[in-house]
Amino acid sequence: MVRIGQLAIACPSLTPHHTCVEALDYFSSHPAYDILPIVDDERPVGLITRHLLQERFSRPFHHELFGNKSCSRFMDRQPLLVDEGDSITTVGAVAASDSRRALQDGVIVTSNGKYRGTCSGPVLMQVLADMQVERSRQVLEGVRYASRIQRAFLHTSNENLAEHLPRHRIFWEPRDMVGGDYYFCRGDQDRVFVAVLDCTGHGVPGALMTMIMSANLEASIAEVDSWHPSELLSNINRRARAALGQRQRAQMDGAAEQGSDDGMDASLVLIDRRNRRLQFAGARLPVFVSYAGHDSWMCLPAGRPGVGYADTPDDTEWPISETPLEEGMRVALATDGLFDQIGETRAIAYGKARFAQSLGAATGAGLQDNFEETLSRYRQWQGTQSRRDDATLVMFEV
């Protein structure tokens, strides 16, 4: 930790008994110093700045009127005094909120209350700026590393998609370097489970939530042998609420202490090849299905409660939807980053209905063309508007 004492310069000082002419001579003989500490009995009592003194004595008759007067007449009687053991961060925070122009003029550094030296405003600001740059660099490096970790977490799902649903396409684009969207796939000979999660927040907080929720999803899959989407959502909800403390605890005085209120929206699909059916359960995120030979997509609606939030009870159940499984049918799972994106011209959200229309724009073409046309229409809608959220689209053909 850098301390202000490391930046202190033990420049000469004057006392209140010195005259203004002697203060002017001081600045003339010390061109490197722009501030002059005034010290009485080893204790700082004021600060004179070069620009102020020279400006005053450039006025008519000031030499005659004040030249032989005490230099204390033109000193700041309440300069910012800091102890040599104070950290630069602390001094910078105090100086930034101080009304005495400390960041411009500088500070006086003391040791046990006695004069130790000075630190000019430009030097202090440069050091603070360098520290901020270094902190930003460290944060950026941390986020970049977190991005590699988050992408590594998707590796197993990518392998499972390639094995069990080879005709698939994925658009996964965090708003920042990391994000709160996550997709998941597991499968065996008879069934394939696919999920898209949209966790609270984006950036680093969102990425942290994906780690929590994906761990809960993994644990729930190990516990719910049937991979039943609705049962999985209920299991994840209980686990998440317990792990995140999403409950109100009554205090002794009757007030309620609220823990965090974080969770996720989710879309869970089970491809049951043995029984030739598709099962779906969603928390605020629907799933879109299209049968071979059809130009339109069917939207299977999601349940309204989110997963893991403080206002979602432990016993919440999500409705299950089923539809026959047919060769060549297509399924699309997407997050709110696509639905809620504001458009360039009308400044309104893209919406689920418009998204479904974009899915159907190239249904008769191959999956790749269908996927690219869907994203193309989404990007055309966004135009020059900034990205509002993380965005994910998982599309596959059975």
Side-chain angles (χ1 to χ4, degrees):
M1 180 174 61
V2 181
R3 301 187 183 279
I4 191 67
Q6 297 172 245
L7 304 180
I9 298 176
C11 60
S13 62
L14 298 183
T15 71
H17 302 294
H18 287 86
T19 65
C20 292
V21 169
E22 290 174 307
L24 289 168
D25 291 341
Y26 171 92
F27 286 119
S28 297
S29 58
H30 297 86
Y33 300 152
D34 290 322
I35 53 179
L36 167 61
I38 305 301
V39 178
D40 189 15
D41 192 24
E42 298 188 75
R43 297 186 178 276
V45 294
L47 188 71
I48 298 176
T49 60
R50 177 191 292 272
H51 68 86
L52 175 62
L53 192 66
Q54 290 180 342
E55 188 275 329
R56 289 295 181 90
F57 276 83
S58 66
R59 300 176 184 177
F61 309 114
H62 267 57
H63 273 276
E64 293 80 1
L65 291 173
F66 303 110
N68 293 320
K69 301 291 186 179
S70 169
C71 62
S72 63
R73 179 182 293 269
F74 295 100
M75 73 179 185
D76 178 0
R77 298 179 182 276
Q78 292 184 323
L80 182 58
L81 306 180
V82 296
D83 187 82
E84 62 179 350
D86 291 341
S87 70
I88 296 295
T89 304
T90 300
V91 174
V94 173
S97 62
D98 193 87
S99 60
R100 291 168 285 190
R101 297 164 37 122
L103 281 180
Q104 178 177 332
D105 297 338
V107 299
I108 295 179
V109 182
T110 63
S111 177
N112 296 321
K114 296 182 179 181
Y115 174 67
R116 162 80 162 73
T118 62
C119 179
S120 68
V123 169
L124 179 59
M125 285 192 291
Q126 183 61 55
V127 172
L128 287 169
D130 291 343
M131 292 173 63
Q132 183 60 48
V133 168
E134 177 60 20
R135 282 195 294 266
S136 298
R137 184 191 65 80
Q138 293 176 357
V139 169
L140 183 58
E141 286 185 354
V143 173
R144 284 175 177 160
Y145 193 75
S147 177
R148 291 198 293 271
I149 293 174
Q150 188 172 42
R151 291 175 186 275
F153 263 72
L154 296 171
H155 178 70
T156 301
S157 291
N158 288 330
E159 288 185 334
N160 281 311
L161 281 167
E163 178 182 356
H164 300 289
L165 295 168
R167 296 188 298 275
H168 74 274
R169 293 294 182 271
I170 298 172
F171 171 71
W172 180 75
E173 194 170 279
R175 195 196 72 171
D176 307 310
M177 294 181 68
V178 292
D181 280 7
Y182 189 81
Y183 60 88
F184 180 93
C185 179
R186 291 293 182 271
D188 57 28
Q189 184 176 357
D190 297 323
R191 57 189 179 172
V192 185
F193 175 79
V194 181
V196 165
L197 315 181
D198 183 356
C199 299
T200 304
H202 37 73
V204 174
L208 179 60
M209 283 298 299
T210 66
M211 300 296 102
I212 295 172
M213 289 304 187
S214 64
N216 287 326
L217 176 55
E218 293 267 16
S220 297
I221 284 180
E223 187 171 310
V224 181
D225 292 335
S226 66
W227 295 2
H228 190 276
S230 180
E231 292 180 16
L232 286 172
L233 282 177
S234 297
N235 196 297
I236 296 169
N237 181 59
R238 290 190 293 271
R239 287 176 175 274
R241 282 170 50 83
L244 296 172
Q246 310 283 46
R247 295 175 175 88
Q248 290 186 344
R249 298 182 295 275
Q251 301 299 295
M252 293 181 61
D253 59 1
E257 177 188 349
Q258 179 72 52
S260 68
D261 190 12
D262 301 294
M264 71 173 185
D265 301 342
S267 183
L268 278 59
V269 169
L270 177 63
I271 306 296
D272 186 345
R273 287 175 168 148
R274 174 177 293 179
N275 297 305
R276 305 301 301 168
R277 63 181 182 176
L278 180 148
Q279 289 186 327
F280 163 74
R284 300 176 180 171
L285 294 181
V287 69
F288 300 87
V289 177
S290 173
Y291 285 96
H294 291 70
D295 294 332
S296 62
W297 286 67
M298 174 175 58
C299 177
L300 302 181
R304 298 187 65 179
V307 178
Y309 291 97
D311 60 355
T312 305
D314 281 354
D315 59 356
T316 300
E317 295 182 358
W318 282 265
I320 190 78
S321 298
E322 289 192 11
T323 188
L325 191 66
E326 293 184 4
E327 188 74 22
M329 71 183 297
R330 294 177 185 174
V331 181
L333 299 85
T335 61
D336 281 345
L338 292 165
F339 309 143
D340 295 342
Q341 177 61 49
I342 295 298
E344 177 180 17
T345 55
R346 300 174 62 187
I348 60 175
Y350 195 44
K352 295 181 178 68
R354 197 173 284 107
F355 174 76
Q357 292 174 1
S358 71
L359 287 170
T363 303
L367 179 69
Q368 178 67 25
D369 292 337
N370 195 176
F371 180 77
E372 290 181 354
E373 179 65 21
T374 300
L375 288 182
S376 175
R377 292 187 173 224
Y378 162 71
R379 291 190 176 107
Q380 288 175 6
W381 176 267
Q382 179 181 350
T384 59
Q385 291 280 358
S386 61
R387 174 68 61 79
R388 292 172 61 88
D389 200 356
D390 310 316
T392 300
L393 169 62
V394 177
M395 184 185 295
F396 57 87
E397 188 173 295
V398 178

